[in-house]
Amino acid sequence: MNSEVNVTEKDSDKTIVELKHVEKYYGELHALKDINLQVKKGEVVVLIGPSGSGKSTLCRTINRLESINSGEILIEGKKLPEGGAELAGLRAEIGMVFQSFNLFAHKSILDNVCMGPVDVLHRPKEEVKKEAMELLKRVGVDSQAQKMPAQLSGGQQQRAAIARSLAMHPKVMLFDEPTSALDPEMIQEVLDVMIELANEGMTMIVVTHEMNFARRVADRVVFMADGAIVEENTPEEFFTAPKSERAKEFLESINRH
Amino acid sequence: MTISELLSQYGEKYIQALLTTWQLTALSFAGALVIGIIITVMRVCPIKPLRIFGDLYVQIFRNIPGASLLIVLVYALPNLNIILSYYQCVLTATTMIPAAFCSEYLMSGIDAIGIGQIEAARSLGMTFGTMMRKVVIPQAVRFSVLPMTNLLIATMLTTSLASQVPLNPKDLTGLVSYINTRDVGGVTSFLISSIMYCGTAVIIGQIGSFIDKKVRIIR
Ligand SMILES: Nc1ncnc2c1ncn2[C@@H]1O[C@H](COP(=O)(O)OP(=O)(O)OP(=O)(O)O)[C@@H](O)[C@H]1O
Ligand SMILES: [Mg+2]
């Protein structure tokens, strides 16, 4: 569908995101401990772990919504800028989808999708509008294009938020628990959009507890506890035969619910 | 004096005074909006000295009595070789003070937007300026239509400070005090100006709630 995300043999070894010895403190709290992670082009990495283990923090350091205390974060081999226009430019290349959708409440769904390309990339409005409508169609909310965010269901809002990110043609997309604020009957429609994206070769880092999603599309599961990466594994092995005690305990605790 | 006596003698002057009050109000409010927005952007920007300046502005002008500020402007500025006309002094006072309140209302409007949309704007790659212009200010303004309506009314009442300086033509309150120094205008002379103030306030209130309904963000 989107030729830009098709992965060719050659560039599939290209590292898109790399974290080296990343440390992060919130005051006294050691929120990220020596995080090392590499995500290659077209890879889907699922971050999983108990509440407070640092999954959101890790996700948010990648586009510097959170700063880090030491270590390095590289996007396509380039160091993440500290601030200013350079950082804004880099953020424009990293998509982010939030738990609470965060659509701009004063703008229609269509305008939400157009805003990034028009106001950040300064592309012509008419051309962007056409593409935005195609994106909205792709995520199945094109019939809601003229409505305001609050008039849509949670699932529709989240799909529109994904379209808003896609409109920027991101190199990688970060998802922080994109389905955990949704009513159960709306979870699948959002996951379906994400599965399609993954199948098209989008590079994705996804914080989620949706095991079926992880099993179906993740190349790797990264398990975090207490701010550290405890285990990296294939989804199949992680869910059936986890290596670490912490992961075993965690999987038991979520299976009990 | 009876109402009809007052009106036949001073009717034209009342109309002129009402227009002067309206003019002062409109100019002050427009200025207050512009300064209020600038101060608010300073208060939320990443540059600390500007944030401190913005907060300081609000603390000073929210807490200074209008009459004191006018006295400072009239008597102190000439010492700094800044000569303003009486009209300009009044206008400055009735702009600077409402600007502080304007910023306070915008700040609570910004609070109502929520951190989520701000983070979404940042992760789309918006610079601080773009985010302010496209996401923050438009929403903060919509959230604050009703407080701003009240501010416009308060600004109008503040323009009665003009009665403290010799002004020609006079504002409503200035005219009342002028009438009472020449004639025994009594309560009636105040009554006429009060009706004019109240009538204007009612109209402002109606327009405000109409605009609020139009621009209110569906949540
Ligand atoms: N802004 C902040 N200030 C201080 N502490 C914070 C902040 N954000 C997160 N923390 C703390 O950092 C730790 C990691 O939080 P984080 O939100 O990354 O966890 P998480 O794995 O995403 O949890 P959840 O599954 O509940 O979303 C927690 O102990 C949390 O309380
Ligand atoms: Mg989280």
Side-chain angles (χ1 to χ4, degrees), chain A residues 60 63-65 88 91-92 94 96 98 102-106 115 119-120 148 150-151 164 168, chain B residues 115-127 130 134-136 138-139 142 217-219:
Chain A
R60 293 158 56 83
N63 66 356
R64 221 169 195 284
L65 282 182
R91 281 184 179 140
I94 302 177
M96 181 143 198
F98 301 86
N102 298 345
L103 291 170
F104 303 123
H106 63 309
M115 231 160 137
D119 294 321
V120 176
M148 301 304 276
Q151 296 172 299
R164 176 175 67 178
M168 301 295 285
Chain B
I115 187 75
Q117 289 185 55
I118 310 249
E119 288 187 341
R122 288 165 72 198
S123 43
L124 279 178
M126 287 190 197
T127 56
T130 308
K134 298 290 174 171
V135 178
V136 177
Q139 291 193 67
R142 281 167 217 232
I217 298 164
I218 316 163
R219 314 201 103 198

Side-chain angles (χ1 to χ4, degrees), chain A residues 51-82:
Chain A
S51 178
S53 56
K55 307 177 297 289
S56 297
T57 307
L58 173 54
C59 223
R60 293 158 56 83
T61 57
I62 296 173
N63 66 356
R64 221 169 195 284
L65 282 182
E66 299 288 352
S67 59
I68 58 176
N69 294 88
S70 65
E72 258 191 324
I73 298 177
L74 306 168
I75 307 292
E76 286 193 325
K78 275 186 304 215
K79 217 175 158 211
L80 202 59
E82 304 245 312

Side-chain angles (χ1 to χ4, degrees), chain A residues 230-243:
Chain A
V230 176
E231 178 169 346
E232 282 195 57
N233 211 334
T234 62
E236 212 39 58
E237 255 188 60
F238 180 79
F239 291 113
T240 52
K243 290 182 282 192

